[in-house]
Amino acid sequence: MTAAHGLGGLALSPAGVLDEFYISFWIPAAILTSALVIKLPTIIRLWKDPLLRAVGGLLLLACSVFVFAAPSTIAWTNRVTGVPNIAAPLVYSLLTAFCGSCLLLIIAWRNGLSDRTAATRRAMRWVITLYSGVIVALWVLFAAADAPVERVRDLDTYYASTPFMREEILLYLLAHTVAVLITSRLIWNWVRTDGLDAWLRWGLKLLGIGYAMNLVFDAAKLTAVVARWTGHAPDWLSTDLAPPVACLSAILIAVGFILPHAGQYLHDRWRVRLAHHQLRPLYVLMRAVDGGGVPFVLHATPELRLIRRETFIRDVLLPLARHLDEDRRRQAYDAALALGFEPGRAKALAAAVAVQDAVEAGRRAPDGDGCGDPDTTDLLQEIAAVSRALRHPDEIAAVRTRAAAPAESVPVHE
């Protein structure tokens, strides 16, 4: 084998390179279906919300596009109907409906739920009428075209110069491009809005990137089709570049819709579980006083477990409050400030010292009257901070030592 031949064997065509990055159409279909399943309970519960209906319709149509655009489904559709290439207007129609759904979603986002103006209704009717007309035109053009040779992967370029099929292909690509341009622009304008929730902002960024990648899909398809008109054949742009770009775009769009909902849900679950965990030191201390605890319930929600733990702690603290020494707490607070703790932390450490002292006093004199009837409002409201302070016994010990130092330094007179 010659050196030139060897180097030639190493050369790869663009199609060969892109084959290494092939993404099955069933992957974005599965992800889009997951996004729809996650959103579905909310959509059903709040069915009158036009925004949620638009999101549901968009996800359903996007999923349908990838299901029916899969080569195996295209071949099955053609075979079942007995009409070569009838899957083309079906897929084009679904994609056009998806474009219209995108625009309706943007109108709902932009105008909000309370906007029922004539301009809003007119804009939505305009979108529905225009894209419904495009769908009808796609089927009329297909009926008028002569496309007898079945093409599962390269129909756009194979029939790029065929009368009526040419217009059909150009029509769906232009309708898709216009919708993507408008949607992308409005999403990126929204991303720059102040006051957005972090999860929503990241979801919008992923949506913006996903729709921007759709522009790459349109550019690749249009370039390949126009090149056919001029006698060139860069079919790999349509058959090898556009499909994986569309798949990646769909995945980003699906994640963009999922992220705000799933992210907020996980954040709320984490916040509740963290609050439950942070109360454990104080809960253990109160359980030692009470001798019992919160019974374990297998199917209790995290919120219910948190509420029950908080209730148990407060129920034990209330009778324990008669043993609280307010003077001791003020001394501990001053000592914590002297040690350099900021006021909020100093207050929590002083309360932890006072609670520990009250527990010991209650053990020594369980039936005693204690120190009167101190105000426990702040203590009951700050149980989380007190519990966090109990996790640092070294800091509590330092506060105790500092609080006791002035009293110990005073000489005793006989």
Side-chain angles (χ1 to χ4, degrees):
M1 181 182 293
T2 63
H5 189 193
L7 292 174
L10 294 175
L12 290 175
S13 66
V17 173
L18 290 170
D19 279 341
E20 300 296 324
F21 300 97
Y22 174 77
I23 301 175
S24 171
F25 278 23
W26 296 107
I27 294 176
I31 295 175
L32 287 163
T33 301
S34 300
L36 181 58
V37 169
I38 290 174
K39 286 283 188 181
L40 193 58
T42 305
I43 294 172
I44 294 174
R45 187 173 65 254
L46 302 174
W47 178 250
K48 293 183 179 180
D49 187 333
L51 174 59
L52 289 174
R53 290 203 306 271
V55 169
L58 186 143
L59 290 174
L60 180 61
L61 287 169
C63 182
S64 300
V65 167
F66 282 95
V67 169
F68 285 94
S72 59
T73 309
I74 291 175
W76 177 84
T77 304
N78 294 335
R79 183 176 67 255
V80 168
T81 59
V83 180
N85 299 312
I86 197 172
L90 175 60
V91 173
Y92 297 161
S93 298
L94 289 172
L95 187 58
T96 302
F98 169 77
C99 296
S101 181
C102 290
L103 290 177
L104 290 174
L105 177 61
I106 289 301
I107 292 172
W109 269 347
R110 182 190 64 189
N111 296 308
L113 302 180
S114 61
D115 193 329
R116 295 292 184 270
T117 64
T120 299
R121 293 193 297 271
R122 187 165 54 250
M124 298 186 76
R125 284 197 302 269
W126 181 86
V127 171
I128 294 171
T129 301
L130 178 62
Y131 279 84
S132 297
V134 171
I135 292 173
V136 172
L138 289 172
W139 286 96
V140 171
L141 289 169
F142 179 78
D146 182 20
V149 180
E150 183 183 53
R151 308 303 297 185
V152 175
R153 284 175 50 86
D154 62 347
L155 183 140
D156 288 352
T157 50
Y158 186 86
Y159 288 109
S161 300
T162 302
F164 300 110
M165 284 300 293
R166 172 184 57 222
E167 287 77 10
E168 175 168 12
I169 294 166
L170 188 61
L171 179 60
Y172 98 83
L173 286 175
L174 289 178
H176 185 260
T177 302
V178 169
V180 169
L181 281 171
I182 296 173
T183 305
S184 298
R185 174 66 181 273
L186 293 175
I187 285 176
W188 285 111
N189 286 344
W190 193 5
V191 169
R192 290 190 288 269
T193 302
D194 294 332
L196 290 181
D197 173 78
W199 293 107
L200 176 59
R201 188 180 299 278
W202 276 107
L204 288 172
K205 286 182 179 179
L206 290 175
L207 285 174
I209 296 171
Y211 282 111
M213 290 188 69
N214 267 321
L215 293 176
V216 178
F217 168 86
D218 292 326
K221 286 280 187 179
L222 286 168
T223 301
V225 169
V226 173
R228 278 283 186 154
W229 298 348
T230 59
H232 300 84
D235 293 358
W236 62 271
L237 289 171
S238 176
T239 58
D240 297 293
L241 175 61
V245 168
C247 290
L248 287 174
S249 171
I251 291 171
L252 288 171
I253 289 172
V255 175
F257 280 117
I258 293 172
L259 189 62
H261 180 274
Q264 189 60 51
Y265 174 83
L266 293 175
H267 175 74
D268 290 343
R269 294 285 78 72
W270 167 253
R271 180 181 54 80
V272 170
R273 292 183 184 277
L274 180 62
H276 185 270
H277 175 70
Q278 288 179 338
L279 285 174
R280 179 170 175 76
L282 186 55
Y283 170 71
V284 171
L285 183 60
M286 295 298 98
R287 192 171 59 183
V289 174
D290 181 76
V294 177
F296 176 76
V297 179
L298 181 62
H299 299 294
T301 63
E303 291 85 357
L304 180 58
R305 291 175 182 172
L306 175 60
I307 292 172
R308 295 180 69 184
R309 177 166 285 190
E310 290 174 338
T311 302
F312 174 81
I313 290 172
R314 292 189 175 103
D315 287 346
V316 179
L317 274 176
L318 279 172
L320 189 67
R322 68 179 186 270
H323 297 290
L324 287 174
D325 187 337
E326 287 299 321
D327 291 336
R328 178 67 167 163
R329 180 154 62 163
R330 282 191 292 270
Q331 291 172 1
Y333 176 72
D334 293 339
L337 290 177
L339 289 171
F341 292 103
E342 54 89 18
R345 181 66 174 169
K347 184 178 179 181
L349 287 168
V353 170
V355 169
Q356 286 181 337
D357 289 348
V359 170
E360 290 300 321
R363 287 172 180 168
R364 291 193 302 266
D367 299 323
D369 293 335
C371 301
D373 188 20
D375 184 5
T376 59
T377 302
D378 290 343
L379 178 61
L380 294 177
Q381 291 177 345
E382 299 296 330
I383 57 174
V386 175
S387 187
R388 287 193 296 269
L390 289 172
R391 290 184 176 274
H392 301 277
D394 53 335
E395 294 180 357
I396 293 176
V399 171
R400 283 184 180 281
T401 302
R402 183 63 181 251
E408 293 174 355
S409 63
V410 178
V412 178
H413 299 282
E414 296 183 0

